[in-house]
Amino acid sequence: MSVNELMCAQNEVACGLCAEAVHLSELQPVPVRLQDRALHCWKSLTASTRQLIGLDLSAAFDTVDHSTLIERLQSEFGVVDTALHWLCSYLGDCTQYVKMGRHHSDAVRLDVGVPQGSGLGPVLFAVYVSPVADVISQHGVKYHQYADDTQLRLSMRADNTAAGLAVLAACTADVRQWYMQNGLQLNPDKSEALVIGTTNQLHATTSPVTTVSVAGVDLPVADKLKVLGVVLDKRLSLDSHATSVARACNYHAWAIRHICHLLTTDLAVTLACSLILSRLDYCNSVLYGAPAGSIQKLQRVQNTANANVFAGRNHALIPYCWLSLCTFYTTLLPRCFADAAVICNYRDNHTYSQNLLCQQTPY
């Protein structure tokens, strides 16, 4: 895999893009507006459904072999001289021990593992697993990687799902074999599978897909799949995601209510923004065009938080961030998409984002 290919496959660690870009690519070629997704995109696939598989790795960062990583940095990415010496120094002479109270074990030298919480750790892990992209591509399966999270995508005709399932079974078996040869453990039991399509397409399949073979293990097809914090359902209505976000936000909103009388307005707003608005804002672009019922769930959460934070206070202090979510998704977010598309036209190094923000032609 070349450096450019790594940057396309690994959003966070190579391109500096966020999880939102991953989900926008997951919805491609699904149009941005949900009311168009069910017809415009899936019509173009001629009665086909999309199979999405999320692969699970055990202790991925802790099993990276240092010698293999250094060799891969040299041979595949051309890291030499001073830069290579820096990385060798970063990885070398690492030890660990277990401490309990005043007692601790002997220190043991580490020849495997990269720090997951560091800035360099995810980059090194992305380099280490970069060859698996070639294994996946050989089967004609589309994929996306975000650090140690990998999703496989394949479109299957409704009248010939067996062929698509066979391709996925062979692909995941080869991926598992590659992981084993490189000291990584794929957990097929903890991996998840989801079939995406319209109601008619899901019913039109000659043999409904109930299980998917992942690395030799038959997984039941789920009704929803959580990918990087966003819950995707089989019809991409994202109603399950809105429900999940509302549940988490309500928990914190009522927690703030119990202590709000002890807080200053600034502190209450800070808590609400960090615990509630941050969840409402996370990957909010995927909800553009979502059904009004899903948006209303989130609007009620924001109204509850607003009432808890500013109860008995001067409402002139309410910050600009407490906007109507309906206004945001119908007015402001489309402008953001348009502005981003314009910006991308002038920045050649962000053509990837420009492709994700492409205009959807009405039919």
Side-chain angles (χ1 to χ4, degrees):
M1 173 181 275
S2 66
V3 175
N4 291 334
E5 290 171 335
L6 175 67
M7 293 180 68
C8 291
Q10 284 277 0
N11 283 73
E12 173 201 27
V13 297
C15 295
L17 300 178
C18 61
E20 203 155 8
V22 177
H23 290 296
L24 287 175
S25 68
E26 292 287 355
L27 298 177
Q28 296 298 316
V30 183
V32 176
R33 292 190 62 84
L34 266 168
Q35 56 262 42
D36 295 336
R37 288 177 188 166
L39 296 174
H40 179 80
C41 169
W42 301 110
K43 262 188 176 182
S44 64
L45 296 178
T46 315
S48 64
T49 58
R50 174 179 288 188
Q51 180 72 56
L52 177 63
I53 296 178
L55 300 180
D56 180 81
L57 288 174
S58 295
F61 283 75
D62 297 331
T63 54
V64 173
D65 183 76
H66 292 173
S67 59
T68 304
L69 174 60
I70 295 300
E71 180 183 353
R72 203 155 283 165
L73 283 167
Q74 290 178 281
S75 61
E76 298 190 23
F77 294 91
V79 179
V80 295
D81 300 332
T82 303
L84 184 63
H85 293 155
W86 283 347
L87 292 174
C88 291
S89 175
Y90 177 77
L91 296 172
D93 297 328
C94 294
T95 59
Q96 71 175 12
Y97 63 89
V98 178
K99 183 177 181 181
M100 181 177 294
R102 293 178 298 174
H103 307 281
H104 62 82
S105 65
D106 295 333
V108 178
R109 186 170 180 232
L110 290 179
D111 295 321
V112 296
V114 292
Q116 185 170 0
S118 65
L120 189 58
V123 177
L124 294 176
F125 180 82
V127 169
Y128 186 77
V129 300
S130 58
V132 77
D134 298 327
V135 177
I136 299 173
S137 299
Q138 289 174 359
H139 295 272
V141 176
K142 294 183 179 180
Y143 66 95
H144 214 294
Q145 295 173 282
Y146 193 90
D148 59 337
D149 289 305
T150 302
Q151 293 86 42
L152 307 180
R153 310 192 304 271
L154 181 66
S155 296
M156 301 183 298
R157 290 188 58 88
D159 57 356
N160 190 16
T161 56
L165 294 177
V167 170
L168 286 174
C171 178
T172 54
D174 288 348
V175 168
R176 183 184 187 182
Q177 182 66 24
W178 186 91
Y179 280 143
M180 291 179 62
Q181 293 172 352
N182 288 267
L184 300 173
Q185 178 63 46
L186 175 64
N187 281 334
D189 293 325
K190 294 185 178 180
S191 300
E192 298 178 285
L194 178 69
V195 178
I196 301 173
T198 64
T199 301
N200 291 336
Q201 289 166 352
L202 294 174
H203 290 164
T205 54
T206 54
S207 55
V209 180
T210 56
T211 61
V212 177
S213 177
V214 175
V217 176
D218 290 334
L219 295 179
V221 173
D223 292 328
K224 53 188 178 182
L225 175 64
K226 191 170 186 178
V227 179
L228 300 176
V230 174
V231 181
L232 303 178
D233 57 85
K234 60 185 178 182
R235 295 189 66 249
L236 287 183
S237 67
L238 295 176
D239 185 68
S240 297
H241 174 64
T243 300
S244 176
V245 172
R247 185 183 300 113
C249 290
N250 275 325
Y251 172 83
H252 292 289
W254 287 105
I256 292 175
R257 179 185 178 89
H258 292 307
I259 62 171
C260 196
H261 64 285
L262 303 174
L263 307 175
T264 64
T265 300
D266 289 341
L267 184 54
V269 169
T270 300
L271 280 176
C273 288
S274 61
L275 297 177
I276 300 172
L277 290 188
S278 62
R279 286 176 166 82
L280 294 175
D281 288 341
Y282 179 73
C283 289
N284 54 15
S285 62
V286 301
L287 288 170
Y288 170 50
S294 299
I295 303 301
Q296 284 302 321
K297 290 181 182 180
L298 303 180
Q299 183 65 65
R300 285 193 292 269
V301 169
Q302 183 169 282
N303 293 344
T304 299
N306 191 2
N308 291 342
V309 172
F310 299 103
R313 304 176 192 265
N314 183 2
H315 281 253
L317 298 175
I318 298 178
Y320 70 92
C321 54
W322 299 88
L323 292 170
S324 166
L325 293 182
C326 295
T327 301
F328 173 77
Y329 285 112
T330 59
T331 305
L332 297 183
L333 192 58
R335 293 178 183 175
C336 292
F337 274 114
D339 293 343
V342 171
I343 293 173
C344 289
N345 286 331
Y346 294 95
R347 299 182 66 180
D348 293 336
N349 60 331
H350 283 73
T351 54
Y352 178 76
S353 299
Q354 183 179 359
N355 293 335
L356 294 181
L357 298 172
C358 61
Q359 295 286 338
Q360 300 297 335
T361 305
Y363 57 93

Short mmCIF file of all heavy atoms in Angstrom, two decimals, residues 65-106:
data_model
loop_
_atom_site.label_atom_id
_atom_site.label_comp_id
_atom_site.label_asym_id
_atom_site.label_seq_id
_atom_site.Cartn_x
_atom_site.Cartn_y
_atom_site.Cartn_z
N ASP A 65 4.03 -6.00 16.59
CA ASP A 65 5.41 -6.43 16.71
C ASP A 65 6.35 -5.32 16.23
O ASP A 65 6.24 -4.84 15.09
CB ASP A 65 5.64 -7.70 15.88
CG ASP A 65 7.05 -8.23 16.03
OD1 ASP A 65 7.35 -8.83 17.07
OD2 ASP A 65 7.85 -8.03 15.09
N HIS A 66 7.30 -4.92 17.08
CA HIS A 66 8.16 -3.79 16.77
C HIS A 66 9.07 -4.05 15.58
O HIS A 66 9.24 -3.18 14.71
CB HIS A 66 9.01 -3.43 17.99
CG HIS A 66 8.21 -2.87 19.13
ND1 HIS A 66 8.75 -2.62 20.37
CD2 HIS A 66 6.90 -2.51 19.20
CE1 HIS A 66 7.81 -2.13 21.17
NE2 HIS A 66 6.68 -2.07 20.48
N SER A 67 9.66 -5.23 15.49
CA SER A 67 10.58 -5.52 14.39
C SER A 67 9.85 -5.52 13.05
O SER A 67 10.36 -4.98 12.05
CB SER A 67 11.26 -6.87 14.63
OG SER A 67 10.29 -7.92 14.73
N THR A 68 8.64 -6.09 13.02
CA THR A 68 7.86 -6.08 11.78
C THR A 68 7.46 -4.66 11.41
O THR A 68 7.47 -4.28 10.23
CB THR A 68 6.61 -6.96 11.94
OG1 THR A 68 7.00 -8.28 12.31
CG2 THR A 68 5.82 -7.01 10.64
N LEU A 69 7.09 -3.87 12.41
CA LEU A 69 6.71 -2.47 12.16
C LEU A 69 7.86 -1.68 11.57
O LEU A 69 7.69 -0.94 10.59
CB LEU A 69 6.22 -1.84 13.46
CG LEU A 69 5.90 -0.35 13.42
CD1 LEU A 69 4.80 -0.06 12.40
CD2 LEU A 69 5.49 0.15 14.80
N ILE A 70 9.06 -1.82 12.14
CA ILE A 70 10.22 -1.09 11.63
C ILE A 70 10.53 -1.50 10.20
O ILE A 70 10.83 -0.66 9.33
CB ILE A 70 11.44 -1.32 12.55
CG1 ILE A 70 11.19 -0.72 13.94
CG2 ILE A 70 12.69 -0.72 11.93
CD1 ILE A 70 10.95 0.77 13.93
N GLU A 71 10.48 -2.81 9.94
CA GLU A 71 10.74 -3.29 8.59
C GLU A 71 9.72 -2.74 7.59
O GLU A 71 10.06 -2.36 6.47
CB GLU A 71 10.70 -4.82 8.59
CG GLU A 71 10.96 -5.43 7.22
CD GLU A 71 10.83 -6.94 7.24
OE1 GLU A 71 10.67 -7.51 8.34
OE2 GLU A 71 10.89 -7.54 6.15
N ARG A 72 8.46 -2.66 8.03
CA ARG A 72 7.40 -2.15 7.14
C ARG A 72 7.57 -0.65 6.89
O ARG A 72 7.29 -0.16 5.79
CB ARG A 72 6.05 -2.45 7.79
CG ARG A 72 4.88 -2.51 6.83
CD ARG A 72 3.77 -3.37 7.39
NE ARG A 72 4.07 -4.79 7.27
CZ ARG A 72 3.43 -5.74 7.93
NH1 ARG A 72 2.46 -5.43 8.78
NH2 ARG A 72 3.76 -7.00 7.74
N LEU A 73 8.00 0.07 7.90
CA LEU A 73 8.25 1.50 7.72
C LEU A 73 9.35 1.73 6.68
O LEU A 73 9.27 2.66 5.87
CB LEU A 73 8.66 2.13 9.05
CG LEU A 73 7.54 2.40 10.06
CD1 LEU A 73 8.14 2.71 11.44
CD2 LEU A 73 6.66 3.54 9.60
N GLN A 74 10.36 0.88 6.69
CA GLN A 74 11.46 1.03 5.74
C GLN A 74 11.07 0.59 4.34
O GLN A 74 11.27 1.33 3.36
CB GLN A 74 12.67 0.20 6.21
CG GLN A 74 13.37 0.71 7.43
CD GLN A 74 14.52 -0.19 7.83
OE1 GLN A 74 14.33 -1.23 8.44
NE2 GLN A 74 15.73 0.21 7.47
N SER A 75 10.51 -0.61 4.23
CA SER A 75 10.29 -1.20 2.90
C SER A 75 9.09 -0.62 2.17
O SER A 75 9.14 -0.47 0.94
CB SER A 75 10.13 -2.72 3.04
OG SER A 75 9.00 -3.02 3.85
N GLU A 76 8.03 -0.29 2.89
CA GLU A 76 6.80 0.14 2.22
C GLU A 76 6.57 1.64 2.26
O GLU A 76 5.83 2.18 1.42
CB GLU A 76 5.59 -0.59 2.83
CG GLU A 76 5.66 -2.10 2.68
CD GLU A 76 4.36 -2.77 3.08
OE1 GLU A 76 3.31 -2.10 3.05
OE2 GLU A 76 4.40 -3.97 3.42
N PHE A 77 7.17 2.33 3.22
CA PHE A 77 6.92 3.76 3.35
C PHE A 77 8.18 4.60 3.26
O PHE A 77 8.11 5.82 3.38
CB PHE A 77 6.18 4.04 4.67
CG PHE A 77 4.80 3.45 4.72
CD1 PHE A 77 4.61 2.18 5.21
CD2 PHE A 77 3.71 4.15 4.23
CE1 PHE A 77 3.34 1.61 5.26
CE2 PHE A 77 2.44 3.60 4.26
CZ PHE A 77 2.25 2.33 4.77
N GLY A 78 9.32 3.96 3.06
CA GLY A 78 10.56 4.70 2.80
C GLY A 78 11.07 5.53 3.95
O GLY A 78 11.74 6.55 3.73
N VAL A 79 10.78 5.12 5.18
CA VAL A 79 11.29 5.85 6.35
C VAL A 79 12.72 5.37 6.63
O VAL A 79 12.93 4.18 6.89
CB VAL A 79 10.38 5.61 7.57
CG1 VAL A 79 10.93 6.36 8.79
CG2 VAL A 79 8.97 6.05 7.28
N VAL A 80 13.68 6.28 6.57
CA VAL A 80 15.09 5.92 6.74
C VAL A 80 15.80 6.99 7.57
O VAL A 80 15.21 8.02 7.94
CB VAL A 80 15.80 5.76 5.37
CG1 VAL A 80 15.22 4.58 4.60
CG2 VAL A 80 15.66 7.05 4.55
N ASP A 81 17.07 6.71 7.84
CA ASP A 81 17.98 7.66 8.48
C ASP A 81 17.42 8.18 9.81
O ASP A 81 16.98 7.42 10.65
CB ASP A 81 18.29 8.82 7.52
CG ASP A 81 18.94 8.34 6.23
OD1 ASP A 81 19.61 7.28 6.29
OD2 ASP A 81 18.75 8.98 5.19
N THR A 82 17.44 9.52 9.97
CA THR A 82 17.10 10.12 11.26
C THR A 82 15.68 9.79 11.70
O THR A 82 15.43 9.48 12.88
CB THR A 82 17.28 11.64 11.19
OG1 THR A 82 18.62 11.95 10.79
CG2 THR A 82 17.01 12.28 12.55
N ALA A 83 14.74 9.87 10.77
CA ALA A 83 13.35 9.59 11.12
C ALA A 83 13.19 8.17 11.63
O ALA A 83 12.47 7.91 12.61
CB ALA A 83 12.44 9.83 9.91
N LEU A 84 13.87 7.23 10.98
CA LEU A 84 13.78 5.83 11.41
C LEU A 84 14.43 5.64 12.78
O LEU A 84 13.91 4.90 13.63
CB LEU A 84 14.46 4.93 10.38
CG LEU A 84 14.36 3.43 10.64
CD1 LEU A 84 12.91 2.98 10.59
CD2 LEU A 84 15.18 2.65 9.63
N HIS A 85 15.54 6.34 13.02
CA HIS A 85 16.21 6.24 14.31
C HIS A 85 15.32 6.79 15.42
O HIS A 85 15.30 6.26 16.54
CB HIS A 85 17.55 6.99 14.28
CG HIS A 85 18.54 6.35 13.37
ND1 HIS A 85 19.59 7.05 12.78
CD2 HIS A 85 18.66 5.07 12.91
CE1 HIS A 85 20.30 6.23 12.02
NE2 HIS A 85 19.75 5.03 12.09
N TRP A 86 14.60 7.87 15.14
CA TRP A 86 13.67 8.43 16.13
C TRP A 86 12.60 7.40 16.50
O TRP A 86 12.29 7.21 17.67
CB TRP A 86 13.00 9.68 15.56
CG TRP A 86 13.86 10.91 15.57
CD1 TRP A 86 15.05 11.07 16.24
CD2 TRP A 86 13.61 12.12 14.88
NE1 TRP A 86 15.56 12.32 16.00
CE2 TRP A 86 14.70 13.00 15.19
CE3 TRP A 86 12.61 12.58 14.06
CZ2 TRP A 86 14.78 14.28 14.68
CZ3 TRP A 86 12.67 13.87 13.56
CH2 TRP A 86 13.75 14.71 13.86
N LEU A 87 12.03 6.77 15.49
CA LEU A 87 10.97 5.80 15.75
C LEU A 87 11.51 4.57 16.48
O LEU A 87 10.83 4.02 17.36
CB LEU A 87 10.32 5.38 14.43
CG LEU A 87 9.51 6.48 13.72
CD1 LEU A 87 9.04 6.01 12.35
CD2 LEU A 87 8.32 6.89 14.57
N CYS A 88 12.72 4.14 16.14
CA CYS A 88 13.32 3.01 16.85
C CYS A 88 13.55 3.37 18.32
O CYS A 88 13.34 2.54 19.21
CB CYS A 88 14.64 2.61 16.20
SG CYS A 88 14.46 1.85 14.56
N SER A 89 13.99 4.61 18.56
CA SER A 89 14.19 5.05 19.93
C SER A 89 12.86 5.14 20.68
O SER A 89 12.78 4.83 21.88
CB SER A 89 14.89 6.41 19.94
OG SER A 89 15.01 6.93 21.25
N TYR A 90 11.81 5.55 19.97
CA TYR A 90 10.48 5.67 20.58
C TYR A 90 9.94 4.31 21.00
O TYR A 90 9.32 4.17 22.06
CB TYR A 90 9.54 6.34 19.58
CG TYR A 90 8.11 6.46 20.04
CD1 TYR A 90 7.72 7.44 20.95
CD2 TYR A 90 7.12 5.60 19.54
CE1 TYR A 90 6.41 7.56 21.36
CE2 TYR A 90 5.81 5.71 19.95
CZ TYR A 90 5.45 6.70 20.86
OH TYR A 90 4.15 6.81 21.27
N LEU A 91 10.21 3.30 20.18
CA LEU A 91 9.68 1.97 20.45
C LEU A 91 10.59 1.13 21.34
O LEU A 91 10.13 0.20 22.02
CB LEU A 91 9.46 1.22 19.12
CG LEU A 91 8.41 1.80 18.17
CD1 LEU A 91 8.45 1.08 16.83
CD2 LEU A 91 7.01 1.72 18.78
N GLY A 92 11.88 1.43 21.33
CA GLY A 92 12.85 0.59 22.04
C GLY A 92 12.93 0.87 23.53
O GLY A 92 12.51 1.93 24.03
N ASP A 93 13.47 -0.11 24.25
CA ASP A 93 13.73 0.01 25.69
C ASP A 93 12.48 0.34 26.50
O ASP A 93 12.55 1.07 27.51
CB ASP A 93 14.81 1.08 25.96
CG ASP A 93 16.14 0.71 25.33
OD1 ASP A 93 16.44 -0.51 25.25
OD2 ASP A 93 16.87 1.62 24.90
N CYS A 94 11.34 -0.17 26.08
CA CYS A 94 10.11 0.01 26.85
C CYS A 94 9.93 -1.17 27.81
O CYS A 94 10.18 -2.33 27.45
CB CYS A 94 8.90 0.09 25.93
SG CYS A 94 8.87 1.55 24.86
N THR A 95 9.53 -0.88 29.03
CA THR A 95 9.30 -1.93 30.03
C THR A 95 7.95 -1.70 30.70
O THR A 95 7.39 -0.60 30.64
CB THR A 95 10.40 -1.92 31.09
OG1 THR A 95 10.42 -0.63 31.74
CG2 THR A 95 11.76 -2.21 30.48
N GLN A 96 7.46 -2.74 31.34
CA GLN A 96 6.23 -2.62 32.11
C GLN A 96 6.29 -3.51 33.34
O GLN A 96 7.01 -4.52 33.35
CB GLN A 96 5.01 -3.00 31.27
CG GLN A 96 4.88 -4.47 30.95
CD GLN A 96 3.59 -4.80 30.22
OE1 GLN A 96 2.89 -3.93 29.74
NE2 GLN A 96 3.28 -6.08 30.11
N TYR A 97 5.55 -3.14 34.37
CA TYR A 97 5.45 -3.96 35.57
C TYR A 97 4.10 -3.71 36.22
O TYR A 97 3.41 -2.73 35.92
CB TYR A 97 6.60 -3.65 36.54
CG TYR A 97 6.60 -2.23 37.07
CD1 TYR A 97 5.91 -1.89 38.24
CD2 TYR A 97 7.33 -1.24 36.43
CE1 TYR A 97 5.92 -0.60 38.73
CE2 TYR A 97 7.35 0.05 36.91
CZ TYR A 97 6.63 0.37 38.07
OH TYR A 97 6.64 1.65 38.53
N VAL A 98 3.72 -4.58 37.11
CA VAL A 98 2.45 -4.50 37.81
C VAL A 98 2.71 -4.04 39.23
O VAL A 98 3.58 -4.60 39.92
CB VAL A 98 1.72 -5.86 37.82
CG1 VAL A 98 0.41 -5.76 38.60
CG2 VAL A 98 1.45 -6.33 36.40
N LYS A 99 1.97 -3.03 39.69
CA LYS A 99 2.16 -2.49 41.03
C LYS A 99 0.85 -2.58 41.80
O LYS A 99 -0.22 -2.23 41.29
CB LYS A 99 2.63 -1.04 40.95
CG LYS A 99 2.90 -0.42 42.33
CD LYS A 99 3.43 0.99 42.20
CE LYS A 99 3.72 1.58 43.58
NZ LYS A 99 4.22 2.99 43.47
N MET A 100 0.93 -3.05 43.03
CA MET A 100 -0.23 -3.13 43.90
C MET A 100 0.20 -2.64 45.29
O MET A 100 0.95 -3.32 46.01
CB MET A 100 -0.77 -4.55 43.98
CG MET A 100 -2.00 -4.69 44.86
SD MET A 100 -2.67 -6.38 44.85
CE MET A 100 -3.18 -6.52 43.16
N GLY A 101 -0.27 -1.45 45.63
CA GLY A 101 0.16 -0.86 46.90
C GLY A 101 1.63 -0.55 46.87
O GLY A 101 2.14 0.14 45.99
N ARG A 102 2.36 -1.08 47.86
CA ARG A 102 3.80 -0.85 47.92
C ARG A 102 4.60 -1.94 47.21
O ARG A 102 5.83 -1.91 47.18
CB ARG A 102 4.25 -0.77 49.39
CG ARG A 102 3.72 0.45 50.13
CD ARG A 102 4.16 0.44 51.59
NE ARG A 102 3.64 -0.72 52.32
CZ ARG A 102 3.98 -1.02 53.56
NH1 ARG A 102 4.86 -0.26 54.21
NH2 ARG A 102 3.46 -2.08 54.16
N HIS A 103 3.91 -2.91 46.66
CA HIS A 103 4.58 -4.03 46.01
C HIS A 103 4.44 -3.93 44.49
O HIS A 103 3.43 -3.45 43.97
CB HIS A 103 3.98 -5.35 46.49
CG HIS A 103 3.96 -5.49 47.98
ND1 HIS A 103 5.07 -5.84 48.72
CD2 HIS A 103 2.95 -5.30 48.88
CE1 HIS A 103 4.76 -5.88 50.00
NE2 HIS A 103 3.47 -5.55 50.13
N HIS A 104 5.46 -4.38 43.78
CA HIS A 104 5.40 -4.39 42.32
C HIS A 104 6.24 -5.55 41.80
O HIS A 104 7.17 -6.02 42.46
CB HIS A 104 5.87 -3.06 41.72
CG HIS A 104 7.29 -2.71 42.02
ND1 HIS A 104 8.35 -3.23 41.32
CD2 HIS A 104 7.82 -1.90 42.96
CE1 HIS A 104 9.48 -2.75 41.81
NE2 HIS A 104 9.19 -1.93 42.81
N SER A 105 5.89 -5.99 40.61
CA SER A 105 6.60 -7.10 39.98
C SER A 105 7.88 -6.62 39.32
O SER A 105 8.15 -5.41 39.24
CB SER A 105 5.70 -7.77 38.94
OG SER A 105 5.42 -6.86 37.89
N ASP A 106 8.68 -7.56 38.84
CA ASP A 106 9.88 -7.20 38.09
C ASP A 106 9.49 -6.58 36.75
O ASP A 106 8.47 -6.94 36.15
CB ASP A 106 10.75 -8.44 37.86
CG ASP A 106 11.28 -9.01 39.16
OD1 ASP A 106 11.43 -8.24 40.13
OD2 ASP A 106 11.53 -10.24 39.20
#
